[in-house]
Amino acid sequence: MPHRRFKKSNPVSSLSDLQDLGMTAKEIEDDIKRYYGHRLGRDESCKSVHYVYEALSLVVSDRLIERWKKTYKAYKKEDCKKAYYLSMEFLMGRTLSNAMLNLGIDDAVAQATYDLGLDLEELTDVEPDAGLGNGGLGRLAACFIDSCATLQLPVTGYGLRYEYGMFSQTIVNGEQVEEPDHWLRNGNVWEIQRLEYTQRIKFGGRTESHIDENGNKRSCWVDTHDILAVPFDTPIPGYQNGTVNTLRLWKATATEVFDLQEFNAGDYAESVAAKNSAENITMVLYPNDANENGKALRLRQQYLLASASLQDVLELWVGRHGYDFSEFAAKNCFQLNDTHPSIAVAELMRLLMDIYGLAWDEAWKITRSTMAYTNHTLLPEALERWSVNLFKQLLPRLMEIIFDINVLFLAEVSIRWPGDRERISRMSLIEEGDEQHVRMAYLAIVGSYSVNGVAELHSKLLQQGLFNDFYELWPEKFNNKTNGVTPRRWLAACNPELAGLITETIGDGWIRDLSLLKKLELYVDDKAFCKRWYAVQQGAKQKLIDFKKQEMNIDVNVNALFDVQVKRIHEYKRQLLNVLHVIHLYDRIKRGDTANWTARCVLIGGKAAPGYFMAKRIIKLINNIANVINHDPDVGDKLKLIFMPNYRVSGMEKICPGADLSEQISTAGKEASGTGNMKFMMNGALTIGTLDGANIEIREEVGDDNFFLFGLTEDQVESLRHHYDPVAIINQDEDLQRVMNFLECGHFNQFEPGIFDGIISSLKSPHDPWVTIADFRSFVEAQKRVEVAYQDKDRWTKMSIINTANSGKFSTDRTITEYNNELWKLTPVSVPK
Ligand code: 26Q
């Protein structure tokens, strides 16, 4: 009797009243079959693994969505304070394995797929990476939201849904070739489009001012070209706790199919093109991890993120609290992931004043107590500056607000330092010159209650250097939050063998409280345990070899030292220093200086920004050297050099379990923190590194004996600059002379004369900012200590255990707990299971 089914007063609530989905292997198996056959309409004739992956993902997604709704209800009921993580990048990688682990159905799914005769690893491997980020900053955002969900904190991530993520890298004749990453080609089962929360974003036009009924000056932004921002939500599950938070990514679309005015004027093609230009805004991620100045499209992206996200939050507020904003700052805060979303400072002012009618002082008070800014770089060339002219054209109302903020701010400065004109011009939000520019970092500092760096040294250098004027004005704003990584993805999921051994030995509490890994130190003298640790490490190395062999057809000995450097290619990260050492080893082999030799396989991976010429040349150099070394019969098993193409999140998940040695060799003072260093350490690799970024804290945790330190300190680098003479250093070091000679005589570019001249002259230049030559000798000596340690298997195993055991600090659970206790002050909300 169908008509009897809707007898309840609210049919929608009875529709929503679902029974919890089954979590057993049998129930999961039945669901997979149902999705595969009924929803996706596939049968035995379908040859593509993709649809099996999709069926399984839908099964997992259903179970996430169930918990997602409960989380939403719990937050609503508590009416709790919330934090919003605003980031232009969320480098999520793959979702399936992580979702299964966090839901606690990984064993059940393994059983179900086994019973169905499927290879689970093959299924998880067909998922494309969500590569919506460049590197460290984007992956940090992804680790952060994982930890927020695990800690049951009400935090939403806001970002952009790029149609094309980080380009895919192939190597052709040793050179990087970029291919567009159309990651959405086969659809994305993890996202839900939410048209009902679409926001309107203004661009262009002009401002008009008038005096309101209270005699206050008011501005209107008129004649704008609007676009729409449509949100797509992805569920972010906590670790087996019922919490599922939200990552909301905005996609740009046109307001109407055609602009009617242009249409009526007969400009049919122009109006269709206008639709396209709106959709261009979120088409592609900018693939450079340092500033690419001045691009209007990038500014549009940044404003879209800030405006759509703030409008969303304000709409939610008004829906629940009406137009009373007195409690807004007590219940909301925004963490700005670098300056990229920092236009949010001016946008919140605009929305509060122009849309919600608040007066300047009230709006400013709210803004300054809700925004917090995280800096991720000290490199001056990476600081964002936007031309005032571009700003005026694209966002005239925001430019007005920034000028107003600046006038009031500079008044504050001149009260503190009367007559100090120099300081006023240094601190102004507007940089003068041929063309005026807006200094986005200064806007972020002035508009925030907190400014943090991402490792102790980095935060110290911000205070003493880059932002010293601001630190003197507002010391209380400045703080440090040392980065971390999520142990769910970076140990439990990516290294199940090691995770299994750890859990068998100390229980599984470490997955939520990584400091418990310390208990492993009790076992460093336990022979049986060490033997198993060694066996697991060797197994992971073999797996990496098998994987690379299938990808690149290269043979590697599992007993060789796996020496790994994977990260973006950048001069300051000094892949060149690594390469100089490889040439030195090659030279020793050629000279027959191989007594007591330690076989070594050097793995390097990373992408170069498409416009960064020097970084691309470094890739070419690595590949050319690899080509010579790997084909030289004198070298054989003693040394291999491998460039791993298309390094990405899912690549790191395969690489970090199999690494012996982690290369963290940046010029001291240049790497803000690094996070790859933490992933390797957690998985039992030893670090060879400079006193830079979080390396310093890693060394503090493991102790000097378990870390291979080399190189100049940050102070030494700075004082060396005045009298740096690399040629003199080369002349005094016979090994280095020979290395340079290999490069200069064209040994690695016999048929490509001159292609490495730029690299050679940068190394030999007294103005080389990265002082690579200065650290060569110290690096080689540290590598010798590595070899001695590696030759003693027991000693190395012990050091490896100690590294994992002391990696507890580098969990983002610790980092996020600090953000929360000191900055956000949210109360965890438990979700009924
Ligand atoms: C800016 C303007 C225009 C186009 C691109 C950009 C842009 C994009 C990405 C500038 C910088 C980035 C990314 C920076 C980054 O990843 N920094 C790294 O952040 C990590 C997390 O804090 C640190 O561990 C690394 O040390 C730092 O290099």
Side-chain angles (χ1 to χ4, degrees), residues 89 134-138 140 286 288-293 298 302 338 340 375-377 382 384 386 454 483 572-573 670-675:
E89 306 191 4
N134 275 283
L137 164 150
L140 186 74
Y286 274 85
N288 41 314
D289 64 345
N291 206 342
E292 179 166 316
N293 254 317
R298 170 81 180 179
Q302 296 185 347
D338 216 298
H340 316 160
N375 173 284
H376 296 264
T377 183
E384 282 195 295
W386 289 108
V454 289
N483 283 166
Y572 84 80
K573 293 176 189 280
K670 299 301 171 195
E671 188 70 271
S673 160
T675 44

Tab-separated table of all heavy atoms in Angstrom, residues 89 134-138 140 286 288-293 298 302 338 340 375-377 382 384 386 454 483 572-573 670-675, ligand 1:
chain	number	residue	atom	x	y	z
A	89	GLU	N	45.823	25.200	-1.712
A	89	GLU	CA	46.264	23.857	-2.078
A	89	GLU	C	45.850	22.840	-1.022
A	89	GLU	O	46.037	23.077	0.174
A	89	GLU	CB	47.803	23.827	-2.209
A	89	GLU	CG	48.343	24.887	-3.152
A	89	GLU	CD	49.816	24.709	-3.495
A	89	GLU	OE1	50.425	23.716	-3.054
A	89	GLU	OE2	50.331	25.574	-4.219
A	134	ASN	N	51.288	21.823	-4.795
A	134	ASN	CA	52.645	21.748	-5.331
A	134	ASN	C	53.538	20.820	-4.537
A	134	ASN	O	54.305	20.057	-5.103
A	134	ASN	CB	53.275	23.138	-5.293
A	134	ASN	CG	52.911	23.949	-6.513
A	134	ASN	OD1	53.466	23.725	-7.570
A	134	ASN	ND2	51.954	24.859	-6.376
A	135	GLY	N	53.471	20.934	-3.219
A	135	GLY	CA	54.428	20.211	-2.385
A	135	GLY	C	54.068	20.366	-0.924
A	135	GLY	O	52.899	20.205	-0.541
A	136	GLY	N	55.064	20.749	-0.124
A	136	GLY	CA	54.936	20.748	1.333
A	136	GLY	C	53.710	21.465	1.886
A	136	GLY	O	52.992	20.919	2.716
A	137	LEU	N	53.475	22.683	1.394
A	137	LEU	CA	52.380	23.477	1.945
A	137	LEU	C	51.016	22.824	1.690
A	137	LEU	O	50.146	22.819	2.562
A	137	LEU	CB	52.466	24.888	1.344
A	137	LEU	CG	51.321	25.866	1.408
A	137	LEU	CD1	51.873	27.280	1.432
A	137	LEU	CD2	50.401	25.703	0.211
A	138	GLY	N	50.850	22.252	0.503
A	138	GLY	CA	49.584	21.604	0.160
A	138	GLY	C	49.395	20.291	0.885
A	138	GLY	O	48.292	19.968	1.340
A	140	LEU	N	50.747	19.563	3.750
A	140	LEU	CA	50.538	19.901	5.163
A	140	LEU	C	49.054	20.144	5.430
A	140	LEU	O	48.499	19.684	6.421
A	140	LEU	CB	51.352	21.143	5.540
A	140	LEU	CG	51.318	21.498	7.023
A	140	LEU	CD1	52.170	20.522	7.833
A	140	LEU	CD2	51.797	22.927	7.263
A	286	TYR	N	48.402	26.602	-10.284
A	286	TYR	CA	49.703	27.168	-10.657
A	286	TYR	C	50.810	26.235	-10.163
A	286	TYR	O	50.905	25.968	-8.972
A	286	TYR	CB	49.876	28.577	-10.067
A	286	TYR	CG	49.280	29.645	-10.956
A	286	TYR	CD1	47.940	29.976	-10.881
A	286	TYR	CD2	50.064	30.289	-11.907
A	286	TYR	CE1	47.383	30.926	-11.715
A	286	TYR	CE2	49.518	31.255	-12.740
A	286	TYR	CZ	48.181	31.556	-12.644
A	286	TYR	OH	47.654	32.507	-13.469
A	288	ASN	N	53.989	26.379	-9.690
A	288	ASN	CA	55.249	26.834	-9.122
A	288	ASN	C	55.099	26.981	-7.625
A	288	ASN	O	54.112	27.531	-7.145
A	288	ASN	CB	55.718	28.147	-9.747
A	288	ASN	CG	54.576	29.084	-9.937
A	288	ASN	OD1	53.540	28.686	-10.421
A	288	ASN	ND2	54.738	30.309	-9.528
A	289	ASP	N	56.062	26.491	-6.878
A	289	ASP	CA	55.946	26.545	-5.426
A	289	ASP	C	56.728	27.729	-4.866
A	289	ASP	O	57.102	27.759	-3.720
A	289	ASP	CB	56.345	25.228	-4.773
A	289	ASP	CG	57.803	24.885	-4.982
A	289	ASP	OD1	58.437	25.516	-5.854
A	289	ASP	OD2	58.287	23.993	-4.285
A	290	ALA	N	56.966	28.693	-5.714
A	290	ALA	CA	57.419	30.008	-5.250
A	290	ALA	C	56.568	30.990	-6.047
A	290	ALA	O	55.882	30.599	-6.984
A	290	ALA	CB	58.885	30.210	-5.528
A	291	ASN	N	56.646	32.244	-5.652
A	291	ASN	CA	55.772	33.238	-6.248
A	291	ASN	C	55.917	33.359	-7.768
A	291	ASN	O	57.011	33.447	-8.290
A	291	ASN	CB	56.113	34.593	-5.634
A	291	ASN	CG	54.945	35.514	-5.687
A	291	ASN	OD1	54.028	35.271	-6.445
A	291	ASN	ND2	54.982	36.534	-4.883
A	292	GLU	N	54.816	33.349	-8.456
A	292	GLU	CA	54.847	33.764	-9.848
A	292	GLU	C	54.068	35.073	-9.849
A	292	GLU	O	52.856	35.084	-9.769
A	292	GLU	CB	54.191	32.725	-10.749
A	292	GLU	CG	54.190	33.158	-12.195
A	292	GLU	CD	53.854	32.010	-13.137
A	292	GLU	OE1	54.383	30.914	-12.946
A	292	GLU	OE2	53.050	32.235	-14.042
A	293	ASN	N	54.813	36.169	-9.893
A	293	ASN	CA	54.202	37.466	-9.610
A	293	ASN	C	53.326	37.986	-10.728
A	293	ASN	O	53.629	37.804	-11.898
A	293	ASN	CB	55.276	38.491	-9.277
A	293	ASN	CG	55.285	38.779	-7.794
A	293	ASN	OD1	54.208	38.923	-7.208
A	293	ASN	ND2	56.444	38.830	-7.197
A	298	ARG	N	45.748	34.297	-11.209
A	298	ARG	CA	46.078	33.831	-9.870
A	298	ARG	C	45.369	34.701	-8.815
A	298	ARG	O	44.845	34.188	-7.833
A	298	ARG	CB	47.593	33.857	-9.677
A	298	ARG	CG	48.099	33.621	-8.278
A	298	ARG	CD	48.157	32.159	-7.896
A	298	ARG	NE	48.667	32.010	-6.528
A	298	ARG	CZ	48.820	30.861	-5.895
A	298	ARG	NH1	48.494	29.724	-6.492
A	298	ARG	NH2	49.277	30.821	-4.675
A	302	GLN	N	42.657	33.539	-5.977
A	302	GLN	CA	42.783	33.816	-4.546
A	302	GLN	C	41.535	34.510	-4.003
A	302	GLN	O	41.045	34.185	-2.923
A	302	GLN	CB	44.029	34.680	-4.288
A	302	GLN	CG	45.315	33.957	-4.666
A	302	GLN	CD	46.572	34.730	-4.307
A	302	GLN	OE1	46.510	35.917	-3.986
A	302	GLN	NE2	47.712	34.070	-4.361
A	338	ASP	N	49.610	30.445	4.368
A	338	ASP	CA	50.473	31.428	3.709
A	338	ASP	C	49.638	32.653	3.277
A	338	ASP	O	48.474	32.793	3.654
A	338	ASP	CB	51.229	30.816	2.528
A	338	ASP	CG	52.640	31.410	2.433
A	338	ASP	OD1	52.755	32.635	2.228
A	338	ASP	OD2	53.612	30.672	2.589
A	340	HIS	N	48.544	33.292	0.391
A	340	HIS	CA	47.690	33.047	-0.784
A	340	HIS	C	46.219	33.398	-0.564
A	340	HIS	O	45.588	33.949	-1.464
A	340	HIS	CB	47.852	31.608	-1.289
A	340	HIS	CG	49.282	31.157	-1.347
A	340	HIS	ND1	49.657	29.834	-1.369
A	340	HIS	CD2	50.447	31.865	-1.358
A	340	HIS	CE1	50.985	29.742	-1.408
A	340	HIS	NE2	51.478	30.963	-1.390
A	375	ASN	N	53.203	31.525	7.939
A	375	ASN	CA	54.204	31.771	6.892
A	375	ASN	C	54.962	30.470	6.606
A	375	ASN	O	55.257	29.704	7.519
A	375	ASN	CB	55.169	32.874	7.360
A	375	ASN	CG	56.325	33.056	6.391
A	375	ASN	OD1	57.258	32.254	6.359
A	375	ASN	ND2	56.259	34.096	5.594
A	376	HIS	N	55.236	30.219	5.327
A	376	HIS	CA	55.938	28.978	4.958
A	376	HIS	C	57.261	29.224	4.249
A	376	HIS	O	57.855	28.268	3.751
A	376	HIS	CB	55.075	28.110	4.051
A	376	HIS	CG	53.829	27.621	4.703
A	376	HIS	ND1	53.743	26.373	5.301
A	376	HIS	CD2	52.620	28.193	4.870
A	376	HIS	CE1	52.534	26.212	5.792
A	376	HIS	NE2	51.824	27.310	5.547
A	377	THR	N	57.688	30.460	4.139
A	377	THR	CA	58.949	30.671	3.431
A	377	THR	C	59.650	31.951	3.848
A	377	THR	O	59.017	32.956	4.148
A	377	THR	CB	58.755	30.693	1.898
A	377	THR	OG1	60.026	30.828	1.288
A	377	THR	CG2	57.870	31.843	1.455
A	382	ALA	N	59.845	34.822	-2.807
A	382	ALA	CA	58.584	34.083	-2.738
A	382	ALA	C	57.486	34.871	-2.030
A	382	ALA	O	56.372	34.386	-1.857
A	382	ALA	CB	58.806	32.742	-2.045
A	384	GLU	N	54.541	37.351	-1.690
A	384	GLU	CA	53.565	37.826	-2.677
A	384	GLU	C	53.380	39.337	-2.653
A	384	GLU	O	53.187	39.933	-1.587
A	384	GLU	CB	52.210	37.174	-2.396
A	384	GLU	CG	52.144	35.762	-2.896
A	384	GLU	CD	50.700	35.306	-2.929
A	384	GLU	OE1	50.102	35.206	-1.850
A	384	GLU	OE2	50.183	35.068	-4.039
A	386	TRP	N	51.242	42.265	-5.097
A	386	TRP	CA	50.344	42.463	-6.248
A	386	TRP	C	50.363	43.925	-6.678
A	386	TRP	O	50.314	44.817	-5.831
A	386	TRP	CB	48.904	42.063	-5.893
A	386	TRP	CG	48.750	40.584	-5.744
A	386	TRP	CD1	48.561	39.897	-4.573
A	386	TRP	CD2	48.771	39.604	-6.782
A	386	TRP	NE1	48.475	38.548	-4.826
A	386	TRP	CE2	48.596	38.337	-6.168
A	386	TRP	CE3	48.927	39.647	-8.173
A	386	TRP	CZ2	48.554	37.145	-6.904
A	386	TRP	CZ3	48.889	38.461	-8.896
A	386	TRP	CH2	48.702	37.233	-8.263
A	454	VAL	N	56.890	27.617	10.778
A	454	VAL	CA	56.549	26.199	10.758
A	454	VAL	C	57.647	25.281	11.324
A	454	VAL	O	57.545	24.069	11.231
A	454	VAL	CB	56.148	25.769	9.328
A	454	VAL	CG1	54.812	26.353	8.951
A	454	VAL	CG2	57.222	26.155	8.297
A	483	ASN	N	55.809	21.873	12.102
A	483	ASN	CA	54.986	20.994	11.251
A	483	ASN	C	54.986	19.544	11.721
A	483	ASN	O	55.754	19.151	12.590
A	483	ASN	CB	55.541	21.012	9.814
A	483	ASN	CG	55.162	22.282	9.059
A	483	ASN	OD1	55.729	22.567	8.018
A	483	ASN	ND2	54.201	23.038	9.560
A	572	TYR	N	67.807	25.875	-3.746
A	572	TYR	CA	68.111	25.928	-2.316
A	572	TYR	C	68.049	24.554	-1.654
A	572	TYR	O	68.655	24.327	-0.608
A	572	TYR	CB	67.202	26.941	-1.589
A	572	TYR	CG	65.843	26.428	-1.166
A	572	TYR	CD1	65.686	25.666	-0.008
A	572	TYR	CD2	64.694	26.711	-1.910
A	572	TYR	CE1	64.442	25.199	0.380
A	572	TYR	CE2	63.455	26.257	-1.528
A	572	TYR	CZ	63.330	25.489	-0.386
A	572	TYR	OH	62.090	25.020	-0.007
A	573	LYS	N	67.328	23.622	-2.263
A	573	LYS	CA	67.250	22.260	-1.706
A	573	LYS	C	68.491	21.435	-2.069
A	573	LYS	O	68.713	20.365	-1.529
A	573	LYS	CB	65.981	21.562	-2.199
A	573	LYS	CG	64.684	22.193	-1.644
A	573	LYS	CD	63.451	21.534	-2.247
A	573	LYS	CE	62.163	22.246	-1.909
A	573	LYS	NZ	61.642	21.921	-0.561
A	670	LYS	N	67.214	28.168	4.782
A	670	LYS	CA	66.369	28.327	3.600
A	670	LYS	C	65.130	27.434	3.589
A	670	LYS	O	64.098	27.821	3.030
A	670	LYS	CB	67.183	28.052	2.328
A	670	LYS	CG	68.352	28.989	2.136
A	670	LYS	CD	67.912	30.439	2.064
A	670	LYS	CE	69.100	31.386	2.088
A	670	LYS	NZ	68.719	32.765	2.375
A	671	GLU	N	65.196	26.245	4.148
A	671	GLU	CA	64.030	25.353	4.167
A	671	GLU	C	63.227	25.677	5.415
A	671	GLU	O	63.698	25.465	6.535
A	671	GLU	CB	64.483	23.892	4.185
A	671	GLU	CG	63.366	22.869	4.005
A	671	GLU	CD	62.786	22.864	2.591
A	671	GLU	OE1	61.831	23.646	2.351
A	671	GLU	OE2	63.280	22.109	1.746
A	672	ALA	N	62.010	26.184	5.245
A	672	ALA	CA	61.238	26.616	6.410
A	672	ALA	C	61.100	25.472	7.417
A	672	ALA	O	61.384	25.638	8.607
A	672	ALA	CB	59.869	27.120	5.973
A	673	SER	N	60.668	24.327	6.945
A	673	SER	CA	60.562	23.180	7.844
A	673	SER	C	60.980	21.891	7.151
A	673	SER	O	61.895	21.205	7.560
A	673	SER	CB	59.115	23.043	8.344
A	673	SER	OG	58.862	21.735	8.817
A	674	GLY	N	60.288	21.568	6.042
A	674	GLY	CA	60.402	20.247	5.452
A	674	GLY	C	59.428	19.332	6.167
A	674	GLY	O	59.177	19.499	7.379
A	675	THR	N	58.836	18.412	5.425
A	675	THR	CA	57.949	17.413	6.038
A	675	THR	C	58.286	16.013	5.526
A	675	THR	O	58.012	15.024	6.202
A	675	THR	CB	56.468	17.730	5.748
A	675	THR	OG1	56.333	18.082	4.367
A	675	THR	CG2	55.971	18.861	6.608
B	1	26Q	C1	52.515	31.873	-5.012
B	1	26Q	C2	52.095	32.811	-5.921
B	1	26Q	C3	51.813	32.475	-7.242
B	1	26Q	C4	51.956	31.142	-7.616
B	1	26Q	C5	52.380	30.198	-6.702
B	1	26Q	C6	52.660	30.563	-5.398
B	1	26Q	C7	53.103	29.549	-4.428
B	1	26Q	C8	52.559	28.284	-4.425
B	1	26Q	C9	52.991	27.318	-3.534
B	1	26Q	C10	54.085	29.829	-3.483
B	1	26Q	C11	54.515	28.853	-2.583
B	1	26Q	C12	53.967	27.578	-2.599
B	1	26Q	C13	54.372	26.511	-1.704
B	1	26Q	C14	55.273	26.604	-0.750
B	1	26Q	C15	55.663	25.463	0.068
B	1	26Q	O1	55.262	24.331	-0.177
B	1	26Q	N1	56.455	25.678	1.114
B	1	26Q	C16	56.866	24.608	1.984
B	1	26Q	O2	55.916	24.514	3.023
B	1	26Q	C17	56.165	23.375	3.834
B	1	26Q	C18	55.050	23.269	4.853
B	1	26Q	O3	55.167	24.253	5.818
B	1	26Q	C19	57.538	23.461	4.480
B	1	26Q	O4	57.777	22.253	5.163
B	1	26Q	C20	58.624	23.686	3.432
B	1	26Q	O5	59.852	23.927	4.064
B	1	26Q	C21	58.246	24.869	2.543
B	1	26Q	O6	59.192	24.999	1.500
